[in-house]
Amino acid sequence: MRSFASDNNSGVHPAIMEALTRANRDHALGYGDDLWTEEAVRKIKETFVADCEPLFVFNGTGSNVIALQLMTRPYNSILCAETAHIYVDECGSPVKMTGCQIRPIATPDGKLTPQLITPYLHGFADQHHSQPGAIYLSECTELGTIYTPDELKAITSLAHQYGMWVHMDGARIANACASLGLSLRALTVDCGIDVLSFGGTKNGLMMGECVIVFDDSLKSEARFIRKQSAQLASKMRYLSCQFTAYLTDELWLKNATHANAMAKRLADALEQVPGVRFTQKVESNQLFLTMPRAETDRMLQTYFFYFWNEEADEIRLVTSFDTTEEDIDTFIRILKN
């Protein structure tokens, strides 16, 4: 069944499936001591920066909690947007795994700014208060919006000024790069990001993410925290080999560019439908909108998608690397009929 519910629902890109098939031949050493993982590590270092530390993990929540454990101690607080994945959608896992207090910050578009963050930067050295330790942000945000390099640099500069770290959840970073016409390095290393959760599952991979540690002082404990967090894969080659294919011939960018283009096509068509109102700018592959509830309920009989805010009748539609023009044209035709 085709849907616009989530890019998690899409299939696996054929090039990724071929990589998995190749990795499945013969035996290989476990826990990352294999040629497939060595090759993937080289590819990531070439893409981002030579002295980074890539750690392959099973999933997005695992990558986030590893990154945040690296940056914090239980007496710290973690600042994030009130729509952040770690605050809304991870069942308290970051709190349980770090012991930290999470401080959500209200934003109109899912994006943090120095002006929004600054009021929460207090209580330093006061033993009665949780110590602000890390800032979590998503690229793209949970509302589909995108941080520019200047916006990221302003946040990382502020954080580092206060001795804090910045973690980027890059579950959809490929879509952000495609939208801005920038490299993966330009939106991470060059902006002062300390640790990246490099996602691929939403953009053609079967499974797995990669925690990439950029700051030298955070590298020594990373492998121990991954193991203790139950994110060390024994047959790691099946995770790592995907990233080699993903970063070869810019497959990551081609997939994301297509998903973004399909989102624009869908948005352009929806703008012509009476009663449709967008609640966020369409900058990536996510669309947030409202339309008469009767129409939404009717479309749910044919398509599966999520309410973002059911009280406001706000829904979310997501396109994927394998979304076709026919998928969109059929959706619009059924809506208009």
Side-chain angles (χ1 to χ4, degrees), residues 180-314:
L180 296 175
L182 295 172
S183 68
L184 289 163
R185 172 170 178 151
L187 276 186
T188 55
V189 179
D190 294 348
C191 293
I193 299 300
D194 298 303
V195 181
L196 168 70
S197 293
F198 181 35
T201 306
K202 292 177 168 60
N203 196 36
L205 269 62
M206 177 182 285
M207 57 185 172
E209 313 284 314
C210 186
V211 179
I212 307 179
V213 186
F214 299 123
D215 187 275
D216 288 339
S217 64
L218 297 175
K219 294 174 183 175
S220 62
E221 296 182 339
R223 291 176 180 269
F224 302 107
I225 289 178
R226 176 177 61 176
K227 176 65 175 180
Q228 198 172 64
S229 301
Q231 288 289 325
L232 177 62
S234 55
K235 295 185 178 181
M236 192 180 294
R237 67 188 187 275
Y238 296 105
L239 299 178
S240 59
C241 73
Q242 299 175 87
F243 284 89
T244 301
Y246 192 54
L247 294 172
T248 298
D249 296 329
E250 295 191 322
L251 177 63
W252 66 273
L253 182 58
K254 293 172 184 176
N255 285 358
T257 299
H258 176 80
N260 288 2
M262 292 298 99
K264 185 178 186 308
R265 181 183 180 92
L266 180 56
D268 290 346
L270 286 168
E271 284 180 344
Q272 307 305 314
V273 178
V276 170
R277 182 182 68 84
F278 286 91
T279 56
Q280 295 291 336
K281 290 172 60 179
V282 180
E283 296 184 329
S284 58
N285 65 324
Q286 301 177 76
L287 294 78
F288 293 82
L289 59 125
T290 63
M291 57 184 174
R293 182 57 184 260
E295 297 302 311
T296 300
D297 290 341
R298 180 171 63 83
M299 292 303 293
L300 282 168
Q301 296 175 18
T302 306
Y303 289 92
F304 178 70
F305 50 83
Y306 290 105
F307 278 97
W308 186 257
N309 182 345
E310 191 159 4
E311 291 183 359
D313 292 333
E314 181 184 26

Side-chain angles (χ1 to χ4, degrees), residues 10 17 44 63-64 68 70 83 117 153 175 184 189 213 238 247 287 289 291-292 322-323 325 330:
S10 61
M17 196 66 79
I44 287 173
S63 68
N64 287 338
L68 293 171
L70 275 175
T83 51
I117 294 169
K153 290 173 185 176
N175 301 93
L184 289 163
V189 179
V213 186
Y238 296 105
L247 294 172
L287 294 78
L289 59 125
M291 57 184 174
D322 59 357
T323 299
E325 293 183 358
T330 301

Side-chain angles (χ1 to χ4, degrees), residues 66-88:
I66 287 173
L68 293 171
Q69 285 178 93
L70 275 175
M71 297 175 168
T72 61
R73 296 296 176 265
Y75 53 78
N76 287 130
S77 60
I78 300 166
L79 310 183
C80 65
E82 65 179 356
T83 51
H85 207 266
I86 61 166
Y87 183 64
V88 177

